[in-house]
Amino acid sequence: MAFPKISSSKQTPCEACPLRKMPTFRDFTQEELDFVSSFKTGELTLNAGTTVLSEGAQSAHLFTVLSGWAFRYKMLDDGRRQILNYAMPGDLVGLQATLMAEMQHSVEALSSLTLCVFERERLGHLYRDQPDLAFDITWIAAQEERILDEHLLSIGRRTAMERAAYLLAFLTQRGRASGLFRDDPTVVPLTQQHVADTLGLSIVHTNKTLKKLAERGLLRWGERGCEILDEEGLLKAAGWEGMPESKRRFI
């Protein structure tokens, strides 16, 4: 696969980053902003369905999602796929390849996707010279672990109905906090196959489960994906209190 060319000319200056205007994300000091501006080498724009990183691959870059959706997944030898989590604006992609020599999972664009690109060789400078930014990366890794804990609980102990309701409520809340729902209606751009591969269910079981949630008036499936009609109803169906409110850290 030919990797798309990283643009160093047409990019959003860190000072004008739209994520910094959002109340979800923490503020940077001028020194931190100057460092991140020098750390960033360009931007990468990908179409939906494009592989960002492949399991087993080595990468010279780290990425922060600037806009759009992506998902992390692993594959079995027979082609069965397990989606692990979804990446949204502010999320860091590629840290495994930086710290463990190669990726332990793959990453694919779920929608049109724009990534900020950073040289992994300069990560040591960040840890040495910018302890608060180094803490941010540690926080991001811990946050990912916390999310995976909840996903594992869902797959292992929630019913099919609860799993589906939890997933869609989670994506709705996190997508909104990441600035992905600027226009009504609230549409999560995934297919029922994505849902099945996240929940560990067959496509037939997934279809029946989503149909039951639709009959309750909680969602509606369309060409663009899943339209969320009743977020509170999904939370209740999942038995989940929702995402805790806190300032997110990002690079």
Side-chain angles (χ1 to χ4, degrees):
M1 181 192 71
F3 199 70
K5 184 178 179 181
I6 296 171
S7 172
S8 58
S9 57
K10 296 181 179 180
Q11 60 175 305
T12 305
C14 291
E15 295 82 356
C17 176
L19 302 183
R20 302 193 188 284
K21 301 175 183 178
M22 297 173 57
T24 305
F25 298 98
R26 82 163 182 93
D27 294 328
F28 275 40
T29 66
Q30 187 59 50
E31 180 183 357
E32 291 170 339
L33 191 57
D34 291 342
F35 180 88
V36 173
S37 297
S38 67
F39 189 27
K40 179 178 175 179
T41 59
E43 288 180 7
L44 187 62
T45 300
L46 305 169
N47 294 324
T50 303
T51 298
V52 181
L53 291 166
S54 297
E55 184 174 355
Q58 297 179 343
S59 175
H61 303 101
L62 283 166
F63 308 94
T64 290
V65 179
L66 181 61
S67 65
W69 303 71
F71 62 92
R72 300 177 171 96
Y73 68 95
K74 290 180 74 72
M75 298 278 287
L76 294 176
D77 291 341
D78 62 6
R80 284 176 292 171
R81 178 178 68 177
Q82 178 66 49
I83 293 178
L84 307 170
N85 198 8
Y86 292 80
M88 304 177 198
D91 287 341
L92 190 64
V93 176
L95 185 61
Q96 275 190 351
T98 300
L99 300 179
M100 301 174 135
E102 63 180 34
M103 289 293 293
Q104 304 299 308
H105 59 255
S106 301
V107 182
E108 181 178 312
L110 183 62
S111 69
S112 296
L113 184 70
T114 300
L115 302 167
C116 297
V117 183
F118 306 98
E119 291 288 346
R120 85 174 195 182
E121 290 184 354
R122 295 204 60 209
L123 189 61
H125 295 282
L126 182 150
Y127 277 100
R128 184 188 65 205
D129 301 331
Q130 297 291 333
D132 286 342
L133 292 178
F135 176 82
D136 288 350
I137 291 180
T138 305
W139 185 94
I140 290 168
Q143 171 78 347
E144 180 72 13
E145 182 180 12
R146 188 193 67 78
I147 290 171
L148 290 176
D149 287 347
E150 191 71 34
H151 288 355
L152 183 58
L153 171 65
S154 194
I155 291 174
R157 291 303 177 192
R158 287 189 172 108
T159 66
M161 181 84 74
E162 290 168 341
R163 287 186 220 178
Y166 159 75
L167 173 64
L168 294 171
F170 165 78
L171 292 175
T172 300
Q173 291 200 343
R174 201 152 190 271
R176 181 182 300 111
S178 302
L180 288 168
F181 303 129
R182 300 184 185 280
D183 302 313
D184 287 329
T186 299
V187 177
V188 181
L190 75 176
T191 67
Q192 293 193 13
Q193 188 64 61
H194 289 117
V195 175
D197 289 351
T198 306
L199 303 183
L201 300 173
S202 70
I203 188 65
V204 173
H205 197 175
T206 299
N207 179 269
K208 291 179 179 178
T209 301
L210 294 173
K211 185 176 181 180
K212 290 178 182 178
L213 292 174
E215 289 171 350
R216 294 188 183 185
L218 305 182
L219 57 86
R220 178 168 53 225
W221 219 272
E223 292 183 1
R224 294 171 53 205
C226 183
E227 180 182 351
I228 306 302
L229 303 178
D230 185 352
E231 182 182 334
E232 288 300 320
L234 288 173
L235 288 169
K236 184 176 180 181
W240 183 52
E241 295 181 354
M243 296 280 295
E245 293 186 9
S246 63
K247 287 283 186 180
R248 280 178 60 192
R249 296 173 178 270
F250 75 114
I251 301 298

mmCIF file of all heavy atoms in Angstrom, residues 223-245:
data_model
loop_
_atom_site.group_PDB
_atom_site.id
_atom_site.type_symbol
_atom_site.label_atom_id
_atom_site.label_comp_id
_atom_site.label_asym_id
_atom_site.label_seq_id
_atom_site.Cartn_x
_atom_site.Cartn_y
_atom_site.Cartn_z
ATOM 1 N N GLU A 223 -28.224 6.050 5.445
ATOM 2 C CA GLU A 223 -27.087 5.877 4.542
ATOM 3 C C GLU A 223 -25.795 6.405 5.148
ATOM 4 O O GLU A 223 -24.715 5.876 4.878
ATOM 5 C CB GLU A 223 -27.367 6.580 3.212
ATOM 6 C CG GLU A 223 -28.483 5.939 2.395
ATOM 7 C CD GLU A 223 -28.669 6.630 1.057
ATOM 8 O OE1 GLU A 223 -27.904 7.587 0.778
ATOM 9 O OE2 GLU A 223 -29.558 6.215 0.304
ATOM 10 N N ARG A 224 -25.888 7.447 5.954
ATOM 11 C CA ARG A 224 -24.682 8.060 6.526
ATOM 12 C C ARG A 224 -24.210 7.354 7.789
ATOM 13 O O ARG A 224 -23.116 7.613 8.277
ATOM 14 C CB ARG A 224 -24.950 9.539 6.836
ATOM 15 C CG ARG A 224 -25.198 10.407 5.614
ATOM 16 C CD ARG A 224 -25.670 11.785 6.030
ATOM 17 N NE ARG A 224 -24.766 12.401 6.991
ATOM 18 C CZ ARG A 224 -25.143 13.335 7.865
ATOM 19 N NH1 ARG A 224 -26.399 13.731 7.930
ATOM 20 N NH2 ARG A 224 -24.255 13.857 8.692
ATOM 21 N N GLY A 225 -25.047 6.479 8.360
ATOM 22 C CA GLY A 225 -24.676 5.790 9.586
ATOM 23 C C GLY A 225 -25.840 5.734 10.548
ATOM 24 O O GLY A 225 -26.998 5.689 10.132
ATOM 25 N N CYS A 226 -25.558 5.768 11.830
ATOM 26 C CA CYS A 226 -26.563 5.635 12.872
ATOM 27 C C CYS A 226 -26.923 7.011 13.425
ATOM 28 O O CYS A 226 -26.071 7.692 14.012
ATOM 29 C CB CYS A 226 -26.052 4.730 13.988
ATOM 30 S SG CYS A 226 -27.268 4.437 15.285
ATOM 31 N N GLU A 227 -28.171 7.411 13.252
ATOM 32 C CA GLU A 227 -28.648 8.675 13.804
ATOM 33 C C GLU A 227 -29.158 8.431 15.225
ATOM 34 O O GLU A 227 -30.022 7.588 15.454
ATOM 35 C CB GLU A 227 -29.762 9.251 12.941
ATOM 36 C CG GLU A 227 -30.299 10.577 13.455
ATOM 37 C CD GLU A 227 -31.434 11.129 12.618
ATOM 38 O OE1 GLU A 227 -31.699 10.575 11.532
ATOM 39 O OE2 GLU A 227 -32.066 12.103 13.068
ATOM 40 N N ILE A 228 -28.610 9.172 16.163
ATOM 41 C CA ILE A 228 -28.982 9.022 17.571
ATOM 42 C C ILE A 228 -30.187 9.920 17.858
ATOM 43 O O ILE A 228 -30.119 11.142 17.705
ATOM 44 C CB ILE A 228 -27.806 9.388 18.495
ATOM 45 C CG1 ILE A 228 -26.560 8.572 18.118
ATOM 46 C CG2 ILE A 228 -28.193 9.160 19.945
ATOM 47 C CD1 ILE A 228 -26.734 7.077 18.169
ATOM 48 N N LEU A 229 -31.283 9.303 18.273
ATOM 49 C CA LEU A 229 -32.515 10.033 18.533
ATOM 50 C C LEU A 229 -32.740 10.301 20.018
ATOM 51 O O LEU A 229 -33.383 11.288 20.381
ATOM 52 C CB LEU A 229 -33.709 9.258 17.970
ATOM 53 C CG LEU A 229 -33.669 8.926 16.473
ATOM 54 C CD1 LEU A 229 -34.895 8.109 16.099
ATOM 55 C CD2 LEU A 229 -33.583 10.199 15.641
ATOM 56 N N ASP A 230 -32.266 9.413 20.878
ATOM 57 C CA ASP A 230 -32.518 9.531 22.315
ATOM 58 C C ASP A 230 -31.292 9.043 23.081
ATOM 59 O O ASP A 230 -31.187 7.873 23.428
ATOM 60 C CB ASP A 230 -33.762 8.710 22.686
ATOM 61 C CG ASP A 230 -34.167 8.872 24.150
ATOM 62 O OD1 ASP A 230 -33.410 9.505 24.923
ATOM 63 O OD2 ASP A 230 -35.237 8.350 24.523
ATOM 64 N N GLU A 231 -30.387 9.956 23.346
ATOM 65 C CA GLU A 231 -29.148 9.597 24.049
ATOM 66 C C GLU A 231 -29.428 9.122 25.466
ATOM 67 O O GLU A 231 -28.831 8.139 25.933
ATOM 68 C CB GLU A 231 -28.214 10.803 24.077
ATOM 69 C CG GLU A 231 -26.884 10.543 24.747
ATOM 70 C CD GLU A 231 -26.016 11.782 24.794
ATOM 71 O OE1 GLU A 231 -26.187 12.674 23.938
ATOM 72 O OE2 GLU A 231 -25.168 11.864 25.707
ATOM 73 N N GLU A 232 -30.325 9.800 26.170
ATOM 74 C CA GLU A 232 -30.656 9.394 27.533
ATOM 75 C C GLU A 232 -31.262 8.001 27.560
ATOM 76 O O GLU A 232 -31.002 7.206 28.469
ATOM 77 C CB GLU A 232 -31.612 10.409 28.171
ATOM 78 C CG GLU A 232 -30.968 11.735 28.520
ATOM 79 C CD GLU A 232 -29.824 11.584 29.509
ATOM 80 O OE1 GLU A 232 -29.965 10.768 30.452
ATOM 81 O OE2 GLU A 232 -28.801 12.270 29.353
ATOM 82 N N GLY A 233 -32.060 7.693 26.533
ATOM 83 C CA GLY A 233 -32.645 6.364 26.445
ATOM 84 C C GLY A 233 -31.585 5.294 26.245
ATOM 85 O O GLY A 233 -31.686 4.195 26.803
ATOM 86 N N LEU A 234 -30.545 5.618 25.465
ATOM 87 C CA LEU A 234 -29.442 4.674 25.274
ATOM 88 C C LEU A 234 -28.682 4.450 26.576
ATOM 89 O O LEU A 234 -28.306 3.323 26.909
ATOM 90 C CB LEU A 234 -28.495 5.183 24.188
ATOM 91 C CG LEU A 234 -29.000 5.123 22.744
ATOM 92 C CD1 LEU A 234 -28.022 5.821 21.803
ATOM 93 C CD2 LEU A 234 -29.207 3.668 22.304
ATOM 94 N N LEU A 235 -28.440 5.528 27.314
ATOM 95 C CA LEU A 235 -27.744 5.399 28.600
ATOM 96 C C LEU A 235 -28.538 4.502 29.546
ATOM 97 O O LEU A 235 -27.971 3.636 30.231
ATOM 98 C CB LEU A 235 -27.546 6.782 29.221
ATOM 99 C CG LEU A 235 -26.512 7.693 28.562
ATOM 100 C CD1 LEU A 235 -26.621 9.105 29.111
ATOM 101 C CD2 LEU A 235 -25.103 7.160 28.763
ATOM 102 N N LYS A 236 -29.845 4.706 29.577
ATOM 103 C CA LYS A 236 -30.694 3.892 30.453
ATOM 104 C C LYS A 236 -30.681 2.438 30.006
ATOM 105 O O LYS A 236 -30.589 1.523 30.844
ATOM 106 C CB LYS A 236 -32.118 4.445 30.437
ATOM 107 C CG LYS A 236 -33.056 3.734 31.398
ATOM 108 C CD LYS A 236 -34.429 4.388 31.408
ATOM 109 C CE LYS A 236 -35.372 3.675 32.374
ATOM 110 N NZ LYS A 236 -36.723 4.292 32.378
ATOM 111 N N ALA A 237 -30.778 2.197 28.699
ATOM 112 C CA ALA A 237 -30.780 0.826 28.188
ATOM 113 C C ALA A 237 -29.463 0.121 28.484
ATOM 114 O O ALA A 237 -29.427 -1.095 28.699
ATOM 115 C CB ALA A 237 -31.056 0.839 26.679
ATOM 116 N N ALA A 238 -28.358 0.880 28.496
ATOM 117 C CA ALA A 238 -27.033 0.302 28.749
ATOM 118 C C ALA A 238 -26.750 0.119 30.234
ATOM 119 O O ALA A 238 -25.846 -0.642 30.607
ATOM 120 C CB ALA A 238 -25.962 1.187 28.128
ATOM 121 N N GLY A 239 -27.495 0.850 31.087
ATOM 122 C CA GLY A 239 -27.165 0.849 32.503
ATOM 123 C C GLY A 239 -25.834 1.518 32.771
ATOM 124 O O GLY A 239 -25.058 1.096 33.632
ATOM 125 N N TRP A 240 -25.575 2.594 32.009
ATOM 126 C CA TRP A 240 -24.286 3.279 32.062
ATOM 127 C C TRP A 240 -24.508 4.744 32.403
ATOM 128 O O TRP A 240 -25.424 5.371 31.876
ATOM 129 C CB TRP A 240 -23.577 3.134 30.720
ATOM 130 C CG TRP A 240 -22.211 3.726 30.634
ATOM 131 C CD1 TRP A 240 -21.171 3.508 31.470
ATOM 132 C CD2 TRP A 240 -21.732 4.639 29.627
ATOM 133 N NE1 TRP A 240 -20.064 4.221 31.047
ATOM 134 C CE2 TRP A 240 -20.374 4.911 29.923
ATOM 135 C CE3 TRP A 240 -22.313 5.223 28.513
ATOM 136 C CZ2 TRP A 240 -19.602 5.763 29.145
ATOM 137 C CZ3 TRP A 240 -21.543 6.076 27.728
ATOM 138 C CH2 TRP A 240 -20.203 6.331 28.039
ATOM 139 N N GLU A 241 -23.666 5.298 33.264
ATOM 140 C CA GLU A 241 -23.840 6.681 33.702
ATOM 141 C C GLU A 241 -23.272 7.687 32.720
ATOM 142 O O GLU A 241 -23.545 8.890 32.831
ATOM 143 C CB GLU A 241 -23.192 6.879 35.070
ATOM 144 C CG GLU A 241 -23.863 6.074 36.178
ATOM 145 C CD GLU A 241 -23.212 6.314 37.529
ATOM 146 O OE1 GLU A 241 -22.173 7.017 37.565
ATOM 147 O OE2 GLU A 241 -23.734 5.798 38.527
ATOM 148 N N GLY A 242 -22.463 7.247 31.786
ATOM 149 C CA GLY A 242 -21.889 8.162 30.814
ATOM 150 C C GLY A 242 -20.458 8.538 31.133
ATOM 151 O O GLY A 242 -19.899 8.155 32.161
ATOM 152 N N MET A 243 -19.861 9.301 30.207
ATOM 153 C CA MET A 243 -18.465 9.703 30.352
ATOM 154 C C MET A 243 -18.310 10.756 31.442
ATOM 155 O O MET A 243 -19.088 11.705 31.501
ATOM 156 C CB MET A 243 -17.952 10.294 29.025
ATOM 157 C CG MET A 243 -17.927 9.328 27.865
ATOM 158 S SD MET A 243 -16.490 8.238 27.901
ATOM 159 C CE MET A 243 -15.169 9.422 27.668
ATOM 160 N N PRO A 244 -17.306 10.618 32.311
ATOM 161 C CA PRO A 244 -17.050 11.672 33.300
ATOM 162 C C PRO A 244 -16.534 12.927 32.600
ATOM 163 O O PRO A 244 -15.829 12.850 31.599
ATOM 164 C CB PRO A 244 -15.975 11.059 34.201
ATOM 165 C CG PRO A 244 -15.288 10.041 33.336
ATOM 166 C CD PRO A 244 -16.351 9.507 32.422
ATOM 167 N N GLU A 245 -16.920 14.075 33.127
ATOM 168 C CA GLU A 245 -16.492 15.343 32.539
ATOM 169 C C GLU A 245 -15.143 15.741 33.131
ATOM 170 O O GLU A 245 -15.006 15.874 34.342
ATOM 171 C CB GLU A 245 -17.526 16.427 32.794
ATOM 172 C CG GLU A 245 -18.857 16.197 32.073
ATOM 173 C CD GLU A 245 -19.810 17.360 32.238
ATOM 174 O OE1 GLU A 245 -19.372 18.404 32.770
ATOM 175 O OE2 GLU A 245 -20.971 17.243 31.820
#
